[in-house]
Amino acid sequence: MKTVETYLTPQDLAQNFSDFHAVDLVQFLAMYSSEELAQFCSLISKHQLAAIIEQSDLNLLLRIVQQLSIENLLKVFSYMSKDDVADMLGELPIALRKSLLNKMKENDRVILTSLLGYPNDSAGGLMTTEYIALNENLCVRQALNKIKEIAPKTEIITIIYLLNNQKQLVGTVNLRDLFTHQEEKLLKDFKNPNVLKVYPEEDQEQVSLLVSKYDLLAIPVVNHRDLLLGIITVDDIIDVIIDEQTEDLLGLAGVDKEERLNAPLIDSVKKRLPWLVINLATAFMASFTIGLFEGTIEKVVALASVMSIVAGMGGNAGTQTLSLVIRGIALGEVKLKEDWRLIIKEFCLGIINGAITGFITAIIIYWHYHNIFLGVIILIAMMGNLVIAGVFGFTIPLVLKKLNIDPALASSIFLTTMTDVGGFFIFLGLAQLFLAYLI
Amino acid sequence: MKTVETYLTPQDLAQNFSDFHAVDLVQFLAMYSSEELAQFCSLISKHQLAAIIEQSDLNLLLRIVQQLSIENLLKVFSYMSKDDVADMLGELPIALRKSLLNKMKENDRVILTSLLGYPNDSAGGLMTTEYIALNENLCVRQALNKIKEIAPKTEIITIIYLLNNQKQLVGTVNLRDLFTHQEEKLLKDFKNPNVLKVYPEEDQEQVSLLVSKYDLLAIPVVNHRDLLLGIITVDDIIDVIIDEQTEDLLGLAGVDKEERLNAPLIDSVKKRLPWLVINLATAFMASFTIGLFEGTIEKVVALASVMSIVAGMGGNAGTQTLSLVIRGIALGEVKLKEDWRLIIKEFCLGIINGAITGFITAIIIYWHYHNIFLGVIILIAMMGNLVIAGVFGFTIPLVLKKLNIDPALASSIFLTTMTDVGGFFIFLGLAQLFLAYLI
């Protein structure tokens, strides 16, 4: 493989392209004039161009990019490795990157965002590039003229993003402000410098919380050097909110968020059966718990009909706490670190609600079986199980969240296990202890 | 944008007002004493005060209002959007509300009282009157001049509503269109005549479905003579969506949507206890069902431990179907009239999932109790109960919806009754029939 000592014309270099290593070529190209560079680019294949771009420094890169139509540039991308394209796009001026992105069809854009390495459920995956970004040093008149050009191509025109000369996001102005200020006034003189922004890797649920909390029409996405990458518009945020909610509601019931009622039968079987099988395991744990006390039940068969009340009520109370916590997590209102004290409240709630419902139950049971002890036992068992329900209904989802397991999906299975096994065990255990008084 | 970590004196906070977002400020003000609050209110401008009031909860709102004379309060209102003022007035004590309304300028009062006239969860209750409506016979230049006047006082300026000479809504133009058309062009010549609109009595959930489906920034509210009453902006729609979803998720678990985990203990008791008592009734129905078969259970005590599996699995399967239907209703995807045939699918789903889980159960039961008939009985009972679960999990919410009862709130109680009573009855009934083979 040769290296470049003497001057070679673009033609020579293009013809003997394969004789040189790209690393050497770029050093030589750096010395070319724009004309020579343009000539060279026109002579070689997109594939070869890609190899060169991969080795170019920012300066040469920009010079080469200037020689190419956006269509050609996109063709060149197709020969480059994903991460190199990502890096390169990061280097390009915003205007160019935008026009590149806009040239792409919707599905291409999805590919591109993944090219840039952003998962679909991240800010980077949600962002669009149809926004208006202007240099903060423009005056109102210049700004309005620019906006007239750009407006037809943009999604949100109410908010204008201001960049400094380093292309960093430094503030926003509202379109209505342009109407109310002097034509010669500079944008930076009345900009709002406090811009809420997110990084592309931010989770979509967090982004939606920001947008809904601060009533935003759009939120800008910046990289860690504060370069504006794109914006996320409120209509996409609404989809996210609905999506996350569906996930939570169905997750609690053990249904995949993708499932629809009118899905083919076989798909529904595949989607719902696994959850039922998991629950079967829980059901058996409860069943075996009861099995431990079959001897006692044999002697006092009334226990068989009463025990289901204790377990059932525990499940209901637990689900109340559980769904409040799940909702709190989704709305960013509850965190284990800050709110663990609330467990004391749930504990007391279990005592109180357990005492009241337990008392009602005890009376009915006594009136039915004429056995005061059975009533006392069920009262105690009910309080115990509702405390279990409250404490675990509160703890389980928060702990799962800490372990990065979706609490909406996994919580209820653990909870029902606790309230079933707990309920049966406390009630039947007490019955066994005081068996003498029950017979 | 800073958030408030450490204590700041009213002076500090007032001086650095612009560093904080109102949403964060109110959380901090809530901790101020009345004196500090009064001091703070006296230090900041009416405009800033308005921003804070818009974000305040009722408690803080009342404390702030006490600091202000009615005159000052009215000044503050002038900086707030009409719908927020309306919401706020709605929360104030009637006496204060009346005196405020009386002190207001005539047209303001008319607007506000009309806003107050509609229920909070209707389109009329959500709408604001800060929109731009122009006569369709204006030309682009005239329109732009008008907009420059109105813009500062409006919420949404991207969409301009066009009225004919009878003040009826006849179309919209987008602000960007004004930029791209000739100055002398008439608005009506490039208006979009197909405007999605709602009546003030429309339910907020229906409105939110429209806005999210069609990615609107705002939707106009008209009366039945097509006169424009106001618009509903997307930020309020987001609140509605989050609200409705919270209601559904918590409703399914029998929790009031207003309840918060950190609510006072006594409030939580009041909110959660009623649901538990209702469920107690269900639990007793199940218990009495079991009671009918105590004679059988006495002879084959194993039934006591096994029966809980049948009932439990029915509950799980039913909840899967139920939450899918609830979600479908909320998203407007399911209607009894059009989709009743899906009940057949849920029926088959019950057969299949019941057969599979029932078979697994049967094997384990046989291995445990060495009684083939017990296995067969539980298999049949499981299939029967999962069919009940599917059919009723599908029907109950749709029927309740037809009866204008919130399905999210009332469905689960009916469903669990069906699956518990049904499960115990089928299983124990079969056991009694084939008792001879079980002993």
Side-chain angles (χ1 to χ4, degrees):
Chain A
M1 181 159 284
K2 297 179 192 172
T3 56
V4 187
E5 295 88 7
T6 58
Y7 172 83
L8 284 173
T9 66
Q11 290 86 342
D12 300 335
L13 200 57
Q15 274 157 28
N16 308 306
F17 184 94
S18 52
D19 294 342
F20 302 97
H21 192 293
V23 180
D24 303 315
L25 278 173
V26 291
Q27 294 171 1
F28 194 77
L29 293 176
M31 301 182 292
Y32 268 161
S33 70
S34 305
E35 294 72 25
E36 292 171 310
L37 195 58
Q39 202 176 5
F40 178 76
C41 291
S42 64
L43 287 169
I44 61 172
S45 73
K46 299 282 172 296
H47 187 284
Q48 294 170 318
L49 204 46
I52 285 179
I53 285 180
E54 282 184 351
Q55 299 300 339
S56 304
D57 61 5
L58 180 54
N59 181 18
L60 178 60
L61 173 65
L62 292 177
R63 287 181 63 203
I64 292 176
V65 166
Q66 281 158 19
Q67 312 299 337
L68 301 171
S69 71
I70 283 171
E71 286 72 12
N72 284 334
L73 206 48
L74 291 176
K75 289 205 195 80
V76 172
F77 283 1
S78 62
Y79 293 104
M80 294 171 64
S81 68
K82 291 164 183 276
D83 48 355
D84 286 329
V85 177
D87 297 349
M88 188 188 135
L89 278 167
E91 309 264 40
L92 291 180
I94 291 174
L96 178 56
R97 183 168 56 225
K98 276 177 63 178
S99 44
L100 276 171
L101 287 164
N102 292 336
K103 273 279 185 300
M104 301 187 146
K105 287 175 254 63
E106 186 47 48
N107 59 329
D108 292 329
R109 194 172 302 152
V110 174
I111 294 166
L112 183 90
T113 44
S114 66
L115 268 185
L116 288 163
Y118 307 134
N120 275 338
D121 61 355
S122 73
L126 279 176
M127 69 186 182
T128 164
T129 52
E130 282 95 14
Y131 56 84
I132 301 181
L134 300 175
N135 186 302
E136 62 173 343
N137 297 311
L138 295 180
C139 73
V140 170
R141 183 172 28 71
Q142 296 168 307
L144 280 173
N145 292 333
K146 280 229 183 258
I147 292 168
K148 286 178 190 177
E149 296 168 24
I150 313 169
K153 298 193 294 291
T154 62
E155 267 196 34
I156 294 275
I157 67 173
T158 331
I159 308 154
I160 294 123
Y161 298 93
L162 298 185
L163 311 176
N164 61 17
N165 296 330
Q166 292 72 45
K167 305 278 186 215
Q168 291 170 306
L169 179 64
V170 289
T172 62
V173 292
N174 193 305
L175 186 54
R176 78 191 64 185
D177 303 333
L178 296 185
F179 292 145
T180 51
H181 285 86
Q182 300 299 329
E183 286 222 313
E184 297 312 319
K185 191 117 175 154
L186 295 185
L187 298 183
K188 66 175 166 193
D189 296 338
F190 57 91
K191 75 180 176 201
N192 158 28
N194 303 323
V195 189
L196 280 168
K197 49 199 174 184
V198 293
Y199 295 122
E201 58 271 19
E202 184 68 84
D203 178 78
Q204 65 174 7
E205 196 162 9
Q206 294 308 315
V207 180
S208 70
L209 286 178
L210 274 178
V211 171
S212 58
K213 181 179 179 187
Y214 296 105
D215 292 345
L216 307 175
L217 283 182
I219 188 165
V221 183
V222 298
N223 68 14
H224 290 266
R225 283 184 292 117
D226 257 348
L227 298 184
L228 186 55
L229 301 176
I231 66 168
I232 301 169
T233 54
V234 69
D235 54 316
D236 295 327
I237 290 299
I238 288 184
D239 298 340
V240 169
I241 292 173
I242 293 177
D243 222 52
E244 296 282 346
Q245 298 301 337
T246 307
E247 204 176 335
D248 283 0
L249 183 84
L250 297 185
L252 265 177
V255 183
D256 186 297
K257 73 167 177 180
E258 296 307 329
E259 170 157 12
R260 292 285 169 272
L261 277 166
N262 52 11
L265 180 60
I266 184 67
D267 295 4
S268 297
V269 173
K270 283 191 200 140
K271 283 213 161 76
R272 296 196 216 174
L273 187 57
W275 176 255
L276 292 175
V277 173
I278 296 172
N279 275 270
L280 193 55
T282 318
F284 267 106
M285 291 179 65
S287 165
F288 289 143
T289 313
I290 300 169
L292 299 174
F293 301 94
E294 278 182 0
T296 312
I297 297 173
E298 213 156 9
K299 299 195 186 65
V300 187
V301 72
L303 297 174
S305 24
V306 176
M307 62 182 184
S308 66
I309 299 175
V310 181
M313 291 303 289
N316 293 325
T319 311
Q320 286 185 319
T321 309
L322 181 63
S323 44
L324 273 168
V325 177
I326 299 275
R327 194 65 187 136
I329 291 174
L331 298 180
E333 293 170 349
V334 189
K335 293 204 169 41
L336 185 55
K337 201 150 144 277
E338 296 147 27
D339 303 297
W340 60 270
R341 280 180 204 75
L342 290 174
I343 199 172
I344 297 159
K345 178 195 162 187
E346 292 299 326
F347 182 94
C348 303
L349 208 56
I351 297 279
I352 298 171
N353 287 343
I356 298 172
T357 51
F359 186 71
I360 300 171
T361 315
I363 289 175
I364 299 171
I365 293 295
Y366 175 72
W367 161 81
H368 191 71
Y369 294 99
H370 310 292
N371 184 325
I372 187 74
F373 293 101
L374 189 57
V376 174
I377 287 175
I378 203 157
L379 169 57
I380 300 169
M382 200 86 104
M383 289 173 70
N385 203 25
L386 260 66
V387 166
I388 291 178
V391 169
F392 285 96
F394 180 84
T395 320
I396 291 171
L398 288 172
V399 170
L400 288 176
K401 175 78 180 173
K402 254 249 160 307
L403 303 173
N404 287 319
I405 302 168
D406 179 359
L409 194 63
S411 294
S412 61
I413 190 76
F414 290 109
L415 181 62
T416 28
T417 313
M418 295 306 304
T419 51
D420 279 4
V421 173
F424 289 130
F425 191 85
I426 295 175
F427 176 68
L428 294 174
L430 286 167
Q432 197 162 44
L433 275 176
F434 300 99
L435 190 53
Y437 305 92
L438 297 177
I439 300 169
Chain B
M1 179 158 300
K2 296 182 194 169
T3 53
V4 189
E5 294 88 7
T6 57
Y7 172 82
L8 286 173
T9 67
Q11 291 86 341
D12 301 335
L13 202 57
Q15 275 159 24
N16 308 311
F17 186 94
S18 53
D19 294 347
F20 303 103
H21 192 290
V23 177
D24 303 320
L25 273 176
V26 291
Q27 293 170 1
F28 191 66
L29 292 177
M31 300 182 292
Y32 267 163
S33 69
S34 306
E35 296 68 30
E36 293 170 310
L37 196 58
Q39 198 177 4
F40 178 76
C41 293
S42 64
L43 286 169
I44 61 174
S45 72
K46 298 279 172 298
H47 187 290
Q48 294 170 318
L49 205 46
I52 285 181
I53 285 182
E54 284 184 349
Q55 299 297 344
S56 302
D57 61 13
L58 179 54
N59 182 13
L60 179 60
L61 173 64
L62 291 175
R63 287 181 62 204
I64 292 177
V65 166
Q66 282 158 16
Q67 312 296 342
L68 301 170
S69 69
I70 285 182
E71 287 66 24
N72 283 333
L73 207 45
L74 290 175
K75 288 205 196 80
V76 172
F77 285 171
S78 62
Y79 294 102
M80 293 171 62
S81 69
K82 294 277 187 302
D83 57 337
D84 288 331
V85 176
D87 292 346
M88 193 190 125
L89 286 174
E91 295 183 318
L92 291 178
I94 302 155
L96 179 54
R97 184 192 319 163
K98 281 206 175 128
S99 50
L100 281 169
L101 282 169
N102 296 334
K103 283 256 188 343
M104 286 181 181
K105 286 190 258 71
E106 186 50 41
N107 60 332
D108 282 3
R109 178 154 77 246
V110 174
I111 293 169
L112 282 175
T113 42
S114 72
L115 282 176
L116 281 166
Y118 303 106
N120 275 338
D121 60 356
S122 72
L126 281 175
M127 70 186 181
T128 171
T129 54
E130 283 86 7
Y131 53 84
I132 302 182
L134 300 175
N135 186 300
E136 61 173 342
N137 298 310
L138 295 180
C139 72
V140 170
R141 183 172 29 72
Q142 296 168 306
L144 279 173
N145 291 332
K146 279 229 183 258
I147 291 168
K148 287 178 186 177
E149 295 168 23
I150 314 168
K153 297 194 292 295
T154 62
E155 271 198 24
I156 292 277
I157 67 174
T158 330
I159 308 154
I160 294 121
Y161 299 92
L162 298 186
L163 310 177
N164 60 18
N165 294 329
Q166 292 72 44
K167 299 259 182 257
Q168 291 171 304
L169 179 63
V170 288
T172 61
V173 292
N174 193 307
L175 186 55
R176 77 191 66 185
D177 303 333
L178 295 185
F179 292 143
T180 49
H181 285 84
Q182 299 299 327
E183 287 220 313
E184 297 312 319
K185 191 113 174 157
L186 295 185
L187 299 182
K188 66 174 165 194
D189 296 339
F190 58 92
K191 77 180 174 199
N192 158 28
N194 310 320
V195 190
L196 278 168
K197 52 199 173 184
V198 292
Y199 296 122
E201 58 272 19
E202 183 68 80
D203 178 77
Q204 63 175 7
E205 195 163 8
Q206 294 309 315
V207 181
S208 70
L209 285 178
L210 275 177
V211 172
S212 58
K213 181 177 178 189
Y214 296 102
D215 292 347
L216 307 175
L217 284 181
I219 189 165
V221 183
V222 298
N223 66 15
H224 290 266
R225 284 183 291 106
D226 257 347
L227 298 185
L228 185 55
L229 301 176
I231 66 169
I232 301 169
T233 54
V234 69
D235 56 312
D236 295 326
I237 290 299
I238 287 185
D239 299 341
V240 169
I241 291 173
I242 293 176
D243 227 49
E244 295 284 345
Q245 285 162 336
T246 305
E247 205 175 337
D248 284 359
L249 183 83
L250 297 185
L252 266 175
V255 183
D256 186 294
K257 72 165 177 183
E258 295 307 328
E259 170 157 13
R260 291 286 169 270
L261 277 166
N262 52 11
L265 180 60
I266 184 67
D267 296 5
S268 297
V269 173
K270 283 190 200 140
K271 285 215 162 78
R272 296 195 216 174
L273 188 56
W275 177 254
L276 292 175
V277 173
I278 297 171
N279 275 270
L280 194 53
T282 318
F284 267 106
M285 290 179 66
S287 165
F288 289 142
T289 314
I290 300 169
L292 300 174
F293 301 94
E294 278 182 359
T296 313
I297 296 173
E298 214 155 8
K299 299 195 187 64
V300 188
V301 72
L303 298 174
S305 24
V306 176
M307 64 184 183
S308 66
I309 299 175
V310 182
M313 292 303 289
N316 293 325
T319 311
Q320 286 185 318
T321 310
L322 181 63
S323 44
L324 274 169
V325 177
I326 298 274
R327 195 65 187 134
I329 292 174
L331 298 181
E333 294 169 348
V334 189
K335 292 202 169 43
L336 185 55
K337 203 149 144 273
E338 296 146 30
D339 302 299
W340 60 270
R341 280 178 203 77
L342 289 175
I343 200 172
I344 297 157
K345 177 194 162 187
E346 291 299 325
F347 182 94
C348 303
L349 207 56
I351 298 279
I352 298 171
N353 287 343
I356 298 171
T357 50
F359 186 70
I360 300 172
T361 315
I363 290 177
I364 299 172
I365 294 295
Y366 175 72
W367 160 81
H368 191 69
Y369 293 99
H370 310 292
N371 184 322
I372 188 73
F373 294 100
L374 190 57
V376 174
I377 287 174
I378 203 157
L379 169 58
I380 300 168
M382 200 85 107
M383 289 172 70
N385 203 23
L386 261 63
V387 166
I388 291 177
V391 169
F392 285 95
F394 181 85
T395 320
I396 291 171
L398 289 171
V399 170
L400 288 175
K401 176 76 180 173
K402 255 255 160 299
L403 304 173
N404 287 320
I405 302 169
D406 179 358
L409 195 62
S411 294
S412 61
I413 191 75
F414 290 107
L415 180 63
T416 28
T417 314
M418 295 308 302
T419 51
D420 278 3
V421 173
F424 289 130
F425 191 85
I426 296 174
F427 175 68
L428 294 173
L430 285 168
Q432 197 163 46
L433 275 176
F434 301 100
L435 190 53
Y437 305 92
L438 297 178
I439 300 170

